[in-house]
Structures are given as structure tokens and as C-alpha cells.
Amino acid sequence: MSELTGSRIRATAARLNLPHLAEALTDYIRRADEGKLGYLDLMDLVLSEELAIRDDRRYRQGLRLSRLPHHKTLEDYDFAFQPELEPRKVKDLATLAFVEAKANAALLGPPGVGKTHIAVALAVAACRAGYSIYFTTLDDMVRNLKVAETAGRLVTKLASYVRPSVLVVDEVGYQPLERAEAHLVFQVISKRYEKGSIILTSNKSFGEWGQVFGDEVLATAILDRLLHHCDVISINGPSYRLKNRLQALDGEPGTE
């Protein structure tokens, strides 16, 4: 390949937004020569690698915009510490069939059992699969919606919670809401109904949501839309945080 031809190909690749091809052209030619690749095989190699690089770039950008508190995966989750939790149920969710169906997933249990870890891991898997994701605690979402409502920007702010393919709503039930606040939550749930997936975590049973939302009727309306298409996993085991704290104390002098 002449230097002029190489320069022309690199310029064309840059105009087509194929930066890896522009940078790795010489390497592609070497690999084609060594592997005695035909024209179609070489084209397949170039396009496959460009697609993989583009997907990885999109994945990393998606994680940056997601506001996830961490990027833990299910491989990091200690299922052995929660013997009552059946790993198959969580791994079934990790197939993302519920996301494809625009259904929901709810993780219930006391603090510290790993609900947020699983919710984040499912969101990371969804992001890897090409879905847009966004993470918020319930309190933060309500606070942001109230500010937007006061400023006359409620419709725009609601859209930011409705737009992602997967919305993770963490810590439902840690603080009770006023009825007006609960109505803002209802609007998010209602607008996302059968249009996008919600993954939520809660330390309260669904029977206690009337207290959480300050209105039994409103709580029922929220649950009606949320649970219509929803996988529910209850985790009723020991706290990881307490375990780690006790292990730390055991290692400190004078704690025996």
C-alpha cells in the first residue's frame, strides 16, 4: 500500500468517525498478510473491531452519566452469605428479559443485605447490553422534582426520569413522604408504565407502602402499576455491613 493511499484511507476513516481504523491501518494490513485474509475477511475484522470499540465507548459513557454509586457486578456478590436467597432468581434477572419486556424488578429486605449491590449490578449489565440507565435514591428524586416544580420545570425534570430504559430507584421507604411528594413519585411510575423498566430497592414490605407514601389510595395506585409486570425478590438475611464491621472489630487490639 502506498503512503498516498494510506493517507487517503486514514482521512476517509476519520470523516466516517472510525478513529480506530485510522490509527490501526498498518496493523490491520500486517494481520491480513500474516493470516492470508481475503478482502471480505479483512473487512469483517475491521468492522467487528470498530463496533466493539464503539460499544465499549458507549458503555463507559453510559456508566459516567448513570450516577451509579459504584459499578459492582453480580460476580462480586457473595451469595453464600445469603443462603436463603436463591442465586437462580437473580441470575434470571441478569438475562435482562424483564428490561426487554419493559417490566420491573423489586428487591426487598432489611438494610445491609445487598439490595443496592444487586440493583446496580443489573443496571451495569443493562448498560453493557446497550440500554440507557439512571440511578437515584427515592429521596433525591423527590427533592429534585420538588425543586423543578417550584421553578416551573417539572415536565422537563419528569422526562429525565422517564427517558432512560432502566431507572434504578434506591432506598424506597427509608423516609416517609408527604402526599404531594408521593404524587410526584406516582407521576414517574405512571409515565414509565409499560414504557421502561424500574429496578427498586426497599426495606419495607408492600403492605407498609401506605405509611411510606402517606396515602393508602395513592400507594395502591403506585403498586398497581409497578407490580403489574414485576419480579420480586426478598432478601431476609444478615447484614454485609455489620459482618464487615464485626470482622474489623475482631482484628482490633483489646476487642477480645
Side-chain angles (χ1 to χ4, degrees):
M1 180 182 66
S2 69
E3 184 175 338
L4 179 60
T5 301
S7 297
R8 189 163 59 245
I9 291 174
R10 290 186 179 89
T12 302
R15 291 179 62 187
L16 291 172
N17 195 27
L18 300 173
H20 183 67
L21 172 57
E23 296 170 1
L25 180 60
T26 302
D27 182 60
Y28 279 133
I29 294 172
R30 177 187 59 78
R31 292 162 66 183
D33 288 340
E34 291 177 353
K36 294 182 170 44
L37 300 181
Y39 295 124
L40 292 180
D41 289 333
L42 175 59
M43 183 175 293
D44 181 59
L45 170 67
V46 171
L47 294 179
S48 295
E49 291 199 2
E50 282 290 343
L51 181 61
I53 290 170
R54 184 167 295 184
D55 284 346
D56 187 66
R57 189 184 307 121
R58 176 205 50 74
Y59 167 68
R60 295 180 184 279
Q61 176 72 358
L63 289 183
R64 279 196 296 271
L65 298 175
S66 69
R67 296 187 179 271
L68 289 171
H70 53 73
H71 299 154
K72 292 179 181 178
T73 66
L74 289 181
E75 285 71 24
D76 303 318
Y77 189 84
D78 185 5
F79 284 97
F81 191 68
Q82 301 293 356
E84 294 186 17
L85 173 60
E86 189 175 348
R88 178 185 58 81
K89 292 183 178 181
V90 178
K91 292 175 182 177
D92 282 347
L93 288 178
T95 65
L96 304 178
F98 79 100
V99 176
E100 184 177 352
K102 296 179 173 58
N104 305 314
L107 303 163
L108 310 181
V113 296
K115 302 185 300 297
T116 301
H117 182 148
I118 293 175
V120 168
L122 293 174
V124 169
C127 185
R128 173 63 79 182
Y131 294 100
S132 57
I133 61 173
Y134 193 79
F135 176 96
T136 181
T137 64
L138 182 68
D139 287 347
D140 282 346
M141 184 174 75
V142 169
R143 186 181 309 110
N144 290 333
L145 290 171
K146 288 173 65 178
V147 170
E149 185 175 35
T150 301
R153 295 184 290 101
L154 180 59
V155 173
T156 301
K157 195 61 184 177
L158 279 170
S160 71
Y161 293 113
V162 174
R163 189 180 305 114
S165 300
V166 178
L167 176 67
V168 182
V169 183
D170 198 27
E171 298 182 350
V172 176
Y174 282 82
Q175 293 290 337
L177 302 181
E178 298 177 358
R179 192 180 189 285
E181 295 172 332
H183 190 263
L184 292 173
V185 177
F186 170 77
Q187 290 188 64
V188 174
I189 302 297
S190 181
K191 289 179 181 297
R192 289 192 62 87
Y193 178 59
E194 296 187 333
K195 295 179 181 177
S197 295
I198 294 175
I199 303 173
L200 69 85
T201 73
S202 179
N203 67 329
K204 302 292 186 183
S205 68
F206 293 131
E208 298 174 282
W209 276 33
Q211 301 171 26
V212 173
F213 291 98
D215 186 299
E216 291 287 348
V217 174
L218 197 50
T220 299
I222 290 172
L223 286 171
D224 180 62
R225 288 158 178 76
L226 189 68
L227 298 181
H228 185 204
H229 309 289
C230 187
D231 291 293
V232 180
I233 294 180
S234 296
I235 310 174
N236 297 304
S239 168
Y240 284 100
R241 287 190 289 269
L242 182 58
K243 178 194 73 167
N244 294 335
R245 179 56 181 158
L246 291 175
Q247 288 176 341
L249 288 174
D250 287 341
E252 294 177 4
T255 57
E256 297 183 358

